[in-house]
Amino acid sequence: MKAPETDRNSRRLVWAGLGVGVLVLLYLIPPFHIVPLEEARSESAATVFDAAAFVETFWKDQLLESADKAVDAGELLAAFEAAPADAAQRYGHRLGLSGASSYFVSGSGHIIAVKDRAVAIALDGGDTAAVVIETGPLFGNAVRDGSGKLDVSDFPNSQDFNALSSEINRRVEERVFPVLKQKADVGVLVQFVGGVEIADPEKNFSPLKLVPVVVEFP
Amino acid sequence: MTNRLQLSRKAAAQWAAAAVTAIVACGLTACDSQSPSSSSDDPPRLAVVISTLNNPWFVVLAEAARDRATELGYEATIFDSQNDPAKETSHYENIIASGYQAILFNPTDADGSISNVRKAKEAGIPVFCMDREINATDAATSQILSDNYSGCVKLGQYFVKQVGESGKYVELLGLVGDNNTWNRSKGFHSVVDRFPGLEMVAQQSADFDRAKALEVLEAILQANPDIDAVFSGNDAMAMGAYQALVAAGKADKVKVFGFDGADDVVRLIAEGKIAATGMQFPKVMARTAAESADAYIQGERDFPQKTPVDVELVTLDNVAQFGDFGRKSAE
């Protein structure tokens, strides 16, 4: 009778030991972690690309800094007039296998027309519209691609790269258009820097449709 | 008895070993009809792994890649992942085991496919993505991708011109795990959402599938019989949507917009039945991928990680310039 009792005790001991072992393992290597919902949300938000913050830095440190390297609007138009393909090659930026090209352009001239959603500018010494700034809702990648500063290959998810265009356009609408709309009047002198996107320079390049990052009224 | 038992165990072990060897040998070589065995006399082999062949656009992508690879002197095999990441993984295992020299790849999932590409890279096989991207810039050798977002910005602008600044519309989304779905949707909404009078009454996924789009739009029309337009994330869904509208007697009133540049949609644009599509260039992407793979095999190592390919708007005004999945003059 004693032997079975001893066996039962030792089995209990083994089970207890195993139980303690499992508990220790669970403590050391927990199969899951409980994290407060707020903490999880903020961790997830931290991994989401912040286009607004990126553009804030890009605008200040790269776009405005390179304004003096923008091609002169008159020079660009003359180059297109002479040899569109060469001009696109020399001054433009192409995104991948794209027929369209984009440019970073500067210049100054007199406003010759102000309409609901557009301002037309004649360059210094001219009297016809060489540059048009459309002041309605902005679309496209004229500034992002025209600047030549951003490379799609640096963005693992191209949605992030595309978000930059939306953010840049939003910023132009919020910060640049109000200045333009407030002071634009026929005959007024304006200086500008911005992006231009041209679908096919062989067919249609003038007037340049400019998305401005800088407009100044000296 | 004991002896007989020992003998039969031995025999069983031998049979098992033989069976395992046979299975492994099969897996590596001849049992997979898509993975022909190679000898030193055979041309080098390229694999073309496609998300699905249940869509004519992807068939064009696959065949153009295969044909260009063949022109360049390779034996190219097409693998259909059937939109199933598990099938895609299994194809990669076969391809890696079978000694292919490069993979021309159209992924099923921007995140889920990364590990397959990494496995190939570790095995020394370069991967060239076509049309769809993976969310990593250090795995594939190069990615040749449609510029879906910009294409849908153009499409969105044309949508507003055609539908006007007010009206009700439906959006049919593609596969929710695919970046192209969201690049297209976001490009479109970056324009259309600027016009508060344009109301999206329903947004549902139809998985880039024509039959599903037909079902989904039929259900949506029950609750929203007065829509003005449908924006579909691809042309297969646009065709499904158009069929649903024909069945409901609304095809003349509701404008359908697609994306891809599939032949049947281009034809319907010419007939004035579909409003517009975004022409992607599957043949350009496929050929570029095949030529890049060839250049890699010849020793080239300097490739841009991502090469976006322009998307062009096809409307009634310029439809005569397009056909056969591209520009008539260009392809």
Side-chain angles (χ1 to χ4, degrees):
Chain A
M1 282 302 281
K2 258 188 176 179
E5 186 64 28
T6 314
D7 280 355
R8 227 173 283 137
N9 283 340
S10 18
R11 267 203 298 274
R12 276 185 197 136
L13 270 175
V14 168
W15 279 111
L18 276 173
V20 170
V22 168
L23 285 173
V24 168
L25 264 177
L26 282 174
Y27 178 76
L28 293 174
I29 316 163
F32 56 85
H33 293 273
I34 296 172
V35 180
L37 195 55
E38 281 311 309
E39 195 182 311
R41 278 184 185 148
S42 61
E43 269 176 23
S44 154
T47 59
V48 172
F49 178 69
D50 186 345
F54 187 99
V55 168
E56 177 74 32
T57 311
F58 170 69
W59 189 280
K60 197 162 43 120
D61 296 349
Q62 295 193 62
L63 216 46
L64 298 184
E65 284 295 311
S66 60
D68 58 342
K69 294 183 183 71
V71 59
D72 178 74
E75 186 184 334
L76 182 64
L77 285 167
F80 277 138
E81 200 73 57
D86 292 349
Q89 177 76 24
R90 181 170 176 196
Y91 299 109
H93 302 284
R94 277 184 207 278
L95 187 66
L97 300 177
S98 169
S101 47
S102 304
Y103 306 80
F104 200 46
V105 179
S106 66
S108 70
H110 287 86
I111 292 174
I112 57 168
V114 179
K115 293 186 179 169
D116 246 8
R117 288 184 176 179
V119 173
I121 300 165
L123 298 178
D124 294 338
D127 55 6
T128 55
V131 173
V132 168
I133 300 175
E134 291 180 345
T135 53
L138 270 182
F139 311 113
N141 311 311
V143 174
R144 184 196 70 183
D145 296 345
S147 74
K149 301 276 178 196
L150 297 170
D151 184 351
V152 62
S153 293
D154 295 334
F155 296 82
N157 185 332
S158 57
Q159 291 182 54
D160 298 341
F161 187 62
N162 294 327
L164 296 180
S165 278
S166 296
E167 186 57 32
I168 289 170
N169 292 342
R170 189 189 64 76
R171 200 179 167 105
V172 171
E173 286 179 25
E174 284 181 9
R175 301 196 187 184
V176 185
F177 282 174
V179 178
L180 180 67
K181 284 177 180 171
Q182 191 191 357
K183 297 188 177 173
D185 208 351
V186 174
V188 168
L189 180 66
V190 61
Q191 292 176 333
F192 56 82
V193 180
V196 171
E197 199 170 357
I198 294 177
D200 184 354
E202 299 276 355
K203 285 184 186 161
N204 191 10
F205 56 83
S206 181
L208 299 173
K209 285 185 181 167
L210 183 97
V211 176
V213 295
V214 175
V215 283
E216 285 172 347
F217 295 87
Chain B
M1 190 69 186
T2 312
N3 280 344
R4 251 186 284 161
L5 187 62
Q6 276 171 345
L7 277 174
S8 65
R9 271 186 190 154
K10 208 172 175 182
Q14 282 168 343
W15 275 108
V20 167
T21 309
I23 288 165
V24 169
C26 269
L28 291 176
T29 57
C31 279
D32 183 356
S33 60
Q34 287 179 308
S35 311
S37 59
S38 62
S39 74
S40 55
D41 295 336
D42 292 334
R45 293 187 297 161
L46 293 191
V48 181
V49 182
I50 298 292
S51 60
T52 175
L53 293 178
N54 189 26
N55 175 334
W57 193 90
F58 288 107
V59 174
V60 171
L61 184 78
E63 291 180 349
R66 180 199 58 197
D67 294 348
R68 184 67 187 124
T70 306
E71 282 169 13
L72 291 165
Y74 296 91
E75 182 188 318
T77 310
I78 296 172
F79 295 80
D80 180 6
S81 302
Q82 297 172 23
N83 276 334
D84 180 352
K87 280 205 171 72
E88 182 182 284
T89 302
S90 154
H91 290 327
Y92 263 76
E93 283 162 4
N94 282 338
I95 288 163
I96 291 168
S98 305
Y100 281 82
Q101 297 215 357
I103 300 172
L104 312 181
F105 183 38
N106 174 246
T108 54
D109 189 292
D111 289 311
S113 298
I114 296 173
S115 60
N116 290 331
V117 179
R118 287 201 198 286
K119 271 185 222 157
K121 187 183 179 186
E122 281 161 20
I125 303 173
V127 176
F128 298 83
C129 292
M130 303 182 289
D131 175 49
R132 291 178 174 177
E133 72 179 337
I134 52 167
N135 289 337
T137 50
D138 60 348
T141 303
S142 187
Q143 306 188 54
I144 299 112
L145 315 164
S146 258
D147 192 354
N148 290 277
Y149 180 89
S150 304
C152 280
V153 168
K154 293 178 200 169
L155 203 64
Q157 287 174 285
Y158 188 71
F159 181 97
V160 176
K161 254 190 202 171
Q162 292 297 303
V163 178
E165 295 189 10
S166 65
K168 291 180 178 177
Y169 71 94
V170 170
E171 181 183 6
L172 298 177
L173 293 165
L175 289 163
V176 292
D178 176 27
N179 281 3
N180 283 356
T181 296
W182 298 111
N183 280 331
R184 290 172 195 177
S185 181
K186 285 178 180 175
F188 174 76
H189 283 285
S190 75
V191 178
V192 174
D193 290 0
R194 304 299 303 276
F195 300 90
L198 286 169
E199 184 193 353
M200 183 170 68
V201 293
Q203 182 189 48
Q204 279 190 38
S205 170
D207 293 345
F208 289 136
D209 185 83
R210 180 174 177 155
K212 267 189 195 158
L214 171 66
E215 278 172 32
V216 168
L217 192 65
E218 275 176 346
I220 290 172
L221 284 171
Q222 299 293 319
N224 302 279
D226 57 344
I227 59 169
D228 300 296
V230 178
F231 168 60
S232 303
N234 79 342
D235 277 349
M237 293 193 296
M239 288 300 291
Y242 177 71
Q243 268 181 280
L245 290 165
V246 169
K250 294 178 187 293
D252 294 340
K253 293 174 197 150
V254 181
K255 293 184 167 65
V256 177
F257 298 78
F259 193 89
D260 271 348
D263 270 356
D264 42 8
V265 165
V266 169
R267 212 164 27 246
L268 287 181
I269 290 172
E271 292 170 16
K273 291 174 178 168
I274 284 186
T277 188
M279 174 60 76
Q280 302 190 80
F281 294 89
K283 292 182 178 179
V284 171
M285 286 188 278
R287 287 174 191 157
T288 308
E291 285 160 12
S292 300
D294 178 52
Y296 184 96
I297 291 162
Q298 305 300 328
E300 172 72 45
R301 289 294 180 271
D302 187 18
F303 295 93
Q305 175 56 218
K306 291 189 183 182
T307 302
V309 177
D310 203 13
V311 172
E312 295 186 27
L313 186 66
V314 183
T315 68
L316 191 56
D317 295 335
N318 68 358
V319 67
Q321 299 166 22
F322 295 93
D324 195 22
F325 296 88
R327 260 189 182 277
K328 278 180 181 166
S329 55
E331 293 190 295

